[in-house]
Amino acid sequence: MNIRALTLATCVLLGSATWAAPPLEIEDPMRGPTPVAQETDPPLISPVENKDIRRMRTYSMQPPTIPHKIDGYQVDKDFNRCLACHARVNTEETQAPPLSVTHYMDRDSNVLAEVSPRRYFCVQCHVPQTEAKPLVSNTYQDIDVILKRLTAPAPAKK
């Protein structure tokens, strides 16, 4: 038997063994019990929070989340609706938090008169929040909580 025939026979045997194997029973937490080969019904889109309350940030340097609806806001190369309230020149009137000074700096830390083009498209970093329940469980803890637990004195023994 030549090498080609032997390789072909091996591939056929391995391929038929693979096809005969029963499918694995793995449940994806995002899909639920629906098999991968079938389509699932997508969950309903959760409503966007519209509370205008600043949220605590979960980690250092986290961009603030958007505490209000932004449906229909025009943010493109021609116009940025966010700046109507959050540009420094408008915040006294609107009472919206002003953009950080870093939004007025270019990549070389030169201060600009206008918002830097690299910071112009707000939803690259800032996102609105929805009232959705988490799809997967999460045990994340803020670093301050962890440090507090590590530095707390040990309970007195009786």
Side-chain angles (χ1 to χ4, degrees), residues 9-25:
T10 304
C11 289
V12 168
L13 285 173
L14 289 175
S16 64
T18 304
W19 283 105
L24 294 175
E25 296 295 326

Side-chain angles (χ1 to χ4, degrees), residues 128-139:
Q129 297 296 288
T130 62
E131 298 171 0
K133 71 177 187 85
L135 295 173
V136 293
S137 62
N138 183 350
T139 58

Side-chain angles (χ1 to χ4, degrees), residues 41-141:
D41 290 328
L44 294 175
I45 295 175
S46 299
V48 174
E49 284 184 6
N50 199 27
K51 298 178 181 172
D52 275 342
I53 297 172
R54 287 189 190 184
R55 287 182 201 84
M56 188 180 96
R57 299 185 200 188
T58 350
Y59 58 90
S60 173
M61 305 305 289
Q62 174 190 357
T65 56
I66 302 170
H68 56 80
K69 291 182 180 185
I70 58 169
D71 300 346
Y73 275 31
Q74 180 182 350
V75 178
D76 58 31
K77 67 181 182 60
D78 298 320
F79 186 77
N80 182 327
R81 169 64 178 88
C82 303
L83 296 178
C85 297
H86 295 279
R88 290 191 170 275
V89 297
N90 299 332
T91 57
E92 186 175 342
E93 182 183 333
T94 64
Q95 295 299 300
L99 297 179
S100 162
V101 69
T102 59
H103 288 65
Y104 293 89
M105 293 180 173
D106 66 10
R107 70 182 69 214
D108 299 319
S109 297
N110 297 316
V111 179
L112 307 171
E114 297 293 325
V115 173
S116 172
R118 69 189 188 122
R119 297 291 188 102
Y120 184 79
F121 296 99
C122 308
V123 292
Q124 289 180 139
C125 301
H126 305 280
V127 294
Q129 297 296 288
T130 62
E131 298 171 0
K133 71 177 187 85
L135 295 173
V136 293
S137 62
N138 183 350
T139 58
Y140 175 82
Q141 290 184 326

Side-chain angles (χ1 to χ4, degrees), residues 27-41:
E27 186 171 312
D28 182 348
M30 301 286 277
R31 292 180 60 82
T34 307
V36 173
Q38 294 177 7
E39 288 198 28
T40 61
D41 290 328

Side-chain angles (χ1 to χ4, degrees), residues 143-155:
I143 188 65
D144 294 330
V145 172
I146 295 170
L147 291 174
K148 221 179 259 185
R149 188 178 64 235
L150 292 175
T151 59

